[in-house]
Amino acid sequence: MPDTAAATLLIDGRRHSAPATFDVVDPASLDVLGQAADADVTHALAALDAAAAAARGWADTDPETRSGHLRAAAAEIRARQGELALLLSRENGKPLAEANGELTGGARMLEWAAEEGRRAYGRVTPASAAGPGLVLRSPVGPVLAITPWNFPASMLLRKVGLALAAGCPVIAKPAEQTPLIATALLDIVQATGLPAGVLQSLTTTRPAELVGALLADRRLRKVSFTGSTEVGLGLLRQTGDTLRRTSLEMGGHSPAIVFADADLEAAATGVVTAKFFNAGQSCTAVNRLYVHESVRDDLLALIEKKTAALRLGRGDAEGTTIGPLIDKAGLAKVENQVADAVAKGARVLIGGSRWESGDPALRGHYFRPTVLTGVTADMLISHEETFGPVLAVTTFTGDDEAIALANATDYGLAAYLFGSDLRRVWRALDRLDFGVIGVNDPAPVRPELPFGGQKNSGQEREGGAEGIEAYTETKAVALRF
Ligand code: NAD
């Protein structure tokens, strides 16, 4: 099923075959799913040559034309959604329904970028004694877009859409676990008739080497990275003596607070959704649940029932609601956090172990959806991003205690509040140190909202009006008549 184009690289408007390829593994069965081209530093520099050469022309292309490419790509993704969702599900392991949702989300992000690109306004300031002032925005220039495997479609389309809409050429560097869906989507964008050099695609097993070579070249003007905090902070350190715009969307450790006045049925559904979506491998996944002691037992009974109803399996099999973890290291991390919590006194309410079905088609790395109660601050799971299907539950008595517990982390991406008292919710919104907050909403990511984190979860925003700004430079012009 995967396109043979996946074994080639897109550079300067043409597909190039690389001297080497690498295997792409189906995480559900561990079978080989296809091959991707393994780019080296020569390809990376050729991609930057092409992007640098295309930069002026693309910046001068009128925004309406740029928007047209993005709208056409979104329409094609919607038209081919079934086929693309199957590929995404097989390559990443997520249930088909989630793969379909991710592609719809990606198309919506392209559409938003197409609309916002036409509204990247500047400002005119009131005239001083000398004359008026202008604030102009211009495209930042060639962009490197580095994306992760957990949302390999939507993260890529969000970056590519916003950068192209702003007038910047892009070098996309998808994750090595999921190059096939990335290649298929980038082909769709290119096939809208983009001029040569405006979009490049580099799949590789040597990300550090390639990215290092690109960062050492002053022609690269922006890096937009989504991935782990460790790698993101490493990129900042590598910038060396050339400053460039850097957007970082990194790890998370999201708290969910359930107040005593919450609709418990809705809160339980919300927490289970935000926790187990993508098998817990989401930067916005709920890691820590803080529940008011007065509703603890009722809420946990609902959460246990809903967790028990989840069905493990292949993402592309009917009825599956939770798929495998991406690899062995992901499984080991989850097992280690559970063992550490249990050794320090946590109780397993449900799950707690690997799932092995004995079916050769399900040889991947599965972990049962798990809920741990009695979780305390000394446990690893209270500090480390889990990136797996484990919910850590702690009770609280006062609102300020819940907010302090939620903020007690170096991460600051997403948080969730469940409650009906607006005054209490507003007070919590004011005090929580997180970039994205869902109020009775387990899916707070929308194209029209700026997405991003505080503290070690990131800098700059993707989406909203801020999303275009992140790909533009500001020029202040003082006019004297
Ligand atoms: P990762 O950091 O290992 O990889 C992300 C990307 O960086 C991949 O394309 C990879 O090839 C590349 N990369 C890896 N090492 C590199 C290096 N030394 N130099 C340059 N590039 C390098 O992360 P991952 O495992 O793919 O993704 C999971 C992480 O991403 C989690 O921590 C998750 O929270 C985070 N994430 C964040 C967001 C967000 O928007 N904040 C969204 C999704 C995922």
Side-chain angles (χ1 to χ4, degrees):
M1 180 201 28
D3 199 320
T4 48
T8 54
L9 304 165
L10 174 62
I11 299 172
D12 205 14
R14 288 188 302 115
R15 286 251 151 233
H16 301 255
S17 49
T21 59
F22 63 94
D23 287 346
V24 183
V25 173
D26 170 347
S29 64
L30 305 186
D31 292 338
V32 173
L33 185 63
Q35 260 73 42
D38 199 359
D40 59 28
V41 168
T42 324
H43 299 115
L45 294 177
L48 185 53
D49 287 345
R56 186 68 257 162
W58 188 241
D60 287 344
T61 303
D62 64 279
E64 203 170 342
T65 302
R66 298 198 297 246
S67 293
H69 289 283
L70 300 176
R71 276 198 308 274
E76 182 67 6
I77 290 167
R78 289 182 186 280
R80 291 175 48 194
Q81 189 168 310
E83 162 213 341
L84 293 166
L86 193 57
L87 176 58
L88 171 51
S89 170
R90 291 202 176 146
E91 197 177 26
N92 163 284
K94 65 181 66 191
L96 258 185
E98 291 185 18
N100 270 296
E102 183 176 343
L103 286 161
T104 306
R108 290 176 64 219
M109 284 172 192
L110 286 182
E111 287 154 0
W112 172 260
E115 293 156 11
E116 262 323 88
R118 299 179 64 192
R119 296 191 197 103
Y121 307 126
R123 297 201 302 277
V124 180
T125 64
S128 70
L134 305 176
V135 181
L136 303 182
R137 298 204 152 277
S138 52
V140 69
V143 170
L144 172 62
I146 307 175
T147 52
W149 51 266
N150 63 339
F151 290 97
S154 56
M155 300 294 106
L156 179 70
L157 293 173
R158 181 158 67 186
K159 289 188 196 305
V160 167
L162 291 166
L164 294 183
C168 304
V170 178
I171 302 168
K173 213 299 292 157
E176 47 275 40
Q177 296 90 339
T178 50
L180 304 180
I181 184 68
T183 303
L185 292 169
L186 292 168
D187 272 349
I188 287 175
V189 182
Q190 177 64 34
T192 61
L194 283 181
V198 168
L199 182 63
Q200 275 57 232
S201 166
L202 297 176
T203 50
T204 183
T205 54
R206 287 164 283 181
E209 212 180 303
L210 262 70
V211 171
L214 291 170
L215 284 174
D217 194 313
R218 285 159 199 262
R219 293 174 300 166
L220 185 76
R221 295 311 312 150
K222 160 124 195 167
V223 183
S224 180
F225 169 80
T226 299
S228 60
T229 295
E230 191 192 352
V231 172
L233 293 178
L235 290 179
L236 272 188
R237 283 184 219 110
Q238 273 183 63
T239 301
D241 60 2
T242 301
L243 264 186
R244 51 173 64 82
R245 298 282 295 280
T246 308
S247 290
L248 299 171
E249 302 292 350
M250 313 198 287
H253 199 253
S254 309
I257 300 175
V258 178
F259 292 117
D261 55 34
D263 171 340
L264 293 188
E265 178 67 36
T269 301
V271 169
V272 168
T273 304
K275 171 70 257 181
F276 297 112
F277 192 72
N278 209 21
Q281 304 168 115
S282 311
C283 51
T284 54
V286 171
N287 232 61
R288 304 167 287 145
L289 168 62
Y290 299 109
V291 53
H292 191 268
E293 58 176 2
S294 65
V295 293
R296 174 197 183 274
D297 292 352
D298 290 346
L299 182 76
L300 285 186
L302 289 165
I303 286 180
E304 185 180 359
K305 193 169 141 220
K306 291 176 194 294
T307 304
L310 296 171
R311 263 186 62 190
L312 283 151
R314 283 191 63 85
D316 57 3
E318 195 158 336
T320 296
T321 48
I322 182 161
L325 295 172
I326 193 75
D327 57 23
K328 208 168 160 179
L331 179 66
K333 187 177 189 194
V334 170
E335 283 188 309
N336 186 41
Q337 285 193 5
V338 171
D340 168 82
V342 170
K344 290 175 179 158
R347 198 173 85 76
V348 177
L349 181 66
I350 182 170
S353 58
R354 289 179 186 205
W355 181 71
E356 281 160 356
S357 70
D359 180 344
L362 296 168
R363 279 187 299 132
H365 306 288
Y366 290 88
F367 200 81
R368 291 175 207 280
T370 297
V371 179
L372 299 176
T373 59
V375 171
T376 49
D378 58 328
M379 298 174 186
L380 267 182
I381 200 164
S382 298
H383 305 285
E384 249 187 34
E385 184 180 38
T386 303
F387 237 54
V390 185
L391 178 67
V393 185
T394 304
T395 50
F396 69 88
T397 48
D399 293 357
D400 287 346
E401 180 195 359
I403 292 163
L405 285 166
N407 281 339
T409 169
D410 286 337
Y411 292 108
L413 186 57
Y416 301 84
L417 295 170
F418 293 90
S420 56
D421 177 348
L422 252 189
R423 195 189 305 254
R424 172 182 274 149
V425 166
W426 186 257
R427 197 168 169 278
L429 282 177
D430 235 15
R431 286 163 174 69
L432 283 171
D433 300 329
F434 293 85
V436 175
I437 305 179
V439 178
N440 299 317
D441 185 351
V445 183
R446 304 176 186 176
E448 55 277 10
L449 284 173
F451 181 85
Q454 302 183 9
K455 301 186 190 165
N456 270 1
S457 284
Q459 66 182 21
E460 300 245 30
R461 294 292 182 267
E462 292 194 309
E466 291 83 349
I468 293 281
E469 275 177 33
Y471 291 96
T472 62
E473 292 286 11
T474 302
K475 286 180 196 164
V477 179
L479 284 175
R480 192 178 283 253
F481 297 129

